[in-house]
Amino acid sequence: MHAFLTFLLLPFCLLSATTTFDQTSIVYDQTGSVTINEALEITLSFQPVVNNTLASGDLVYFRMPRFTTATYKMGEDGGAAGNNIAMGSVELSPSTEWKASWTEGSWCAGCENPYNSSMITLQRRDLNAIVDNTLHVVTIFKSNRIKAYCGAAANWNQLKIATNATGAFVEQPIAVSPLVGNGCQDKSSCNLHGTCDFCYNTCTCDVGYGNPSEIFDYVQISCAERTCPAGRSLADLPTHSNAGHGMAECSNNGICSRDLGFCECFDGWEGLACDRRVCPNKCSGHGICASMQEQAGMQNAFPLNNNVTFVHYGSSDLARNRSAWDYNIMYSCVCDSSWEVGLESGEYQLAEWWGPSCNLRRCPHGDDPQKTAANETNCEGVTAAGGLGVGKAGNGCYVECSNRGVCNYVEGVGTCKCFDGFLGENCGTMSEYGMLMGEWIDPAATE
């Protein structure tokens, strides 16, 4: 069963508004998808316009990229080269009015239009010229073994027609041609979320549906399902001695919802690509959740550092000297404080709220009333925990319960229980009677 399609050509202006041909079309005898090495019957329709009469011996050229007499995918998968067919040797109808030759185009592996210079050339052999505005139809038989190397879209603008009758070789697009191949119909026409490559019958999916620029877990063939955002994977197999933590859909920390294109993150992970650690209990309302890169530039983040201006942890995810691959993946709490935290004058080396989720509050502090004449709250020259910074003049050490009691953290409220002989909110006062583990001692009761 042969399928023939014919459409009208809108005038195409050339050479001072002169149209060379009207009602041009190409029809192939294919039904559905073109198979490997399937020869086609090709029907050419064209109509010379006024003042462009074709006389005997005049030529009409049909440039047909992607058509060849070669073995299918010659040069890529092996096969035989195509051949030219001499003028008069092309089998066609009506042979009494026309003869033809076939010019085999050049193969170019990977180019957009292989066999770009392929061409059928018709020559008028009838002594009578074609009357102006008369539609002419020529059929090129299958026996010529001309086949489509790969597909082309319907009304493809690279199919051209020209003639030497105008005195110059001037091409114009052929108005109408059917689709060659199935146009990714076996892939649901890329589900309207991609572009079909008619040459290789493959889909190039839109962004969000498996575009080559994206990272996704499996090959998108028909652009039917959504892809999800990608991020660096915390747990994956290294690809080299110094290469790992590659990009992965949902960062391997969640499952992609293919219907909507969003990540359902595992416990402990958040973000569009599940690429960010969740801070414990959202820092309990007493701190901020910050990445390691952010904390590297915060003077109140631990460990304290005198030179936070020059620390750029993770400034580049490729460099390893002052950065790391997880610079914007690992997050933790930087706890609040009613006093300034840092190494400068007037700042203290500990924060008021502490703990992984900032749920604990420090007890009142003070100088140890018994230890030495020195002030234990003075942190000038004292190296902060972590060993990266030293307190400047006027910097303070926070001494909970003045070293003379135990802080009892209950529901975020710190209360000192003083040792024997010490009393006060911060256990900073020595007393003959004092307190016994936070309980007052009545002197009269001991007499």
Side-chain angles (χ1 to χ4, degrees):
M1 178 176 181
H2 293 177
F4 295 90
L5 302 176
T6 304
F7 301 87
L8 294 179
L9 167 67
L10 296 176
F12 186 87
C13 296
L14 295 170
L15 295 179
S16 302
T18 299
T19 303
T20 308
F21 293 102
D22 201 356
Q23 298 191 53
T24 59
S25 68
I26 295 181
V27 175
Y28 317 115
D29 67 335
Q30 69 176 74
T31 55
S33 179
V34 175
T35 61
I36 295 177
N37 287 324
E38 177 184 351
L40 299 174
E41 183 178 278
I42 304 171
T43 300
L44 311 173
S45 300
F46 55 98
Q47 175 178 273
V49 297
V50 177
N51 299 325
N52 282 293
T53 300
L54 294 177
S56 178
D58 283 344
L59 302 175
V60 178
Y61 309 93
F62 285 82
R63 186 176 296 280
M64 301 181 67
R66 300 184 180 177
F67 286 80
T68 179
T69 59
T71 300
Y72 192 75
K73 288 196 175 182
M74 188 277 296
E76 181 174 292
D77 295 333
N83 298 304
N84 294 332
I85 304 176
M87 181 63 72
S89 297
V90 173
E91 299 182 4
L92 57 77
S93 175
S95 59
T96 56
E97 298 182 24
W98 296 92
K99 59 183 177 178
S101 66
W102 168 256
T103 302
E104 177 71 18
S106 299
W107 163 262
C108 53
C111 65
E112 182 179 0
N113 297 321
Y115 305 105
N116 187 55
S117 55
S118 292
M119 186 164 59
I120 292 174
T121 302
L122 300 178
Q123 185 173 33
R124 182 68 176 162
R125 70 191 312 170
D126 195 320
L127 296 179
N128 299 314
I130 295 179
V131 179
D132 293 345
N133 295 318
T134 299
L135 183 67
H136 205 85
V137 178
V138 178
T139 300
I140 308 298
F141 296 142
K142 280 187 176 183
S143 56
N144 296 291
R145 303 302 299 166
I146 298 172
K147 58 185 74 73
Y149 163 74
C150 48
N155 306 325
W156 187 42
N157 62 11
Q158 295 300 307
L159 296 172
K160 306 278 190 177
I161 183 173
T163 181
N164 67 342
T166 61
F169 188 91
V170 179
E171 294 182 326
Q172 68 182 73
I174 291 169
V176 176
S177 65
L179 176 150
V180 180
N182 64 4
C184 299
Q185 293 180 41
D186 59 335
K187 300 173 180 62
S188 301
S189 298
C190 304
N191 287 283
L192 303 181
H193 297 303
T195 303
C196 178
D197 183 333
F198 288 87
C199 185
Y200 296 104
N201 189 30
T202 57
C203 294
T204 300
C205 301
D206 297 336
V207 173
Y209 290 89
N211 186 270
S213 65
E214 298 178 286
I215 305 293
F216 42 88
D217 290 340
Y218 66 94
V219 177
Q220 294 280 10
I221 295 176
S222 62
C223 312
E225 295 183 307
R226 296 292 301 270
T227 53
C228 282
R232 287 199 174 275
S233 174
L234 180 68
D236 67 352
L237 294 176
T239 58
H240 194 267
S241 60
N242 61 351
H245 304 291
M247 299 293 288
E249 204 169 17
C250 299
S251 307
N252 285 337
N253 298 320
I255 298 175
C256 180
S257 174
R258 297 294 174 193
D259 293 336
L260 300 176
F262 72 89
C263 295
E264 298 178 3
C265 301
F266 302 145
D267 289 345
W269 293 93
E270 62 183 358
L272 292 177
C274 303
D275 55 350
R276 189 170 68 240
R277 288 289 287 175
V278 174
C279 281
N281 197 35
K282 299 187 182 299
C283 301
S284 305
H286 298 299
I288 62 172
C289 188
S291 69
M292 288 192 290
Q293 181 187 32
E294 293 169 329
Q295 292 186 40
M298 299 170 66
Q299 81 175 40
N300 64 327
F302 297 98
L304 300 178
N305 193 311
N306 291 111
N307 300 308
V308 294
T309 304
F310 303 101
V311 177
H312 303 286
Y313 183 93
S315 58
S316 167
D317 63 342
L318 299 178
R320 293 302 301 271
N321 53 348
R322 293 196 302 177
S323 62
W325 65 272
D326 56 353
Y327 68 101
N328 62 351
I329 294 177
M330 306 307 292
Y331 278 67
S332 63
C333 294
V334 178
C335 299
D336 295 336
S337 184
S338 59
W339 56 80
E340 296 295 324
V341 176
L343 298 169
E344 300 292 332
S345 176
E347 298 176 339
Y348 287 89
Q349 293 188 7
L350 292 177
E352 179 178 8
W353 293 90
W354 67 286
S357 64
C358 301
N359 65 320
L360 302 177
R361 191 177 187 180
R362 297 194 188 278
C363 284
H365 87 126
D367 182 33
D368 190 329
Q370 188 180 51
K371 191 171 184 181
T372 65
N375 185 355
E376 275 74 35
T377 63
N378 179 16
C379 255
E380 179 180 358
V382 176
T383 301
L388 297 181
V390 177
K392 296 183 179 179
N395 185 239
C397 288
Y398 195 89
V399 183
E400 274 189 298
C401 301
S402 306
N403 283 336
R404 294 299 145 190
V406 176
C407 187
N408 183 27
Y409 304 103
V410 179
E411 297 182 356
V413 178
T415 303
C416 289
K417 285 193 175 184
C418 301
F419 301 149
D420 293 348
F422 300 91
L423 54 81
E425 185 182 50
N426 65 352
C427 304
T429 302
M430 296 181 66
S431 170
E432 179 182 352
Y433 302 104
M435 304 176 73
L436 180 60
M437 295 304 290
E439 301 295 330
W440 281 102
I441 300 174
D442 185 353
T446 62
E447 293 178 355

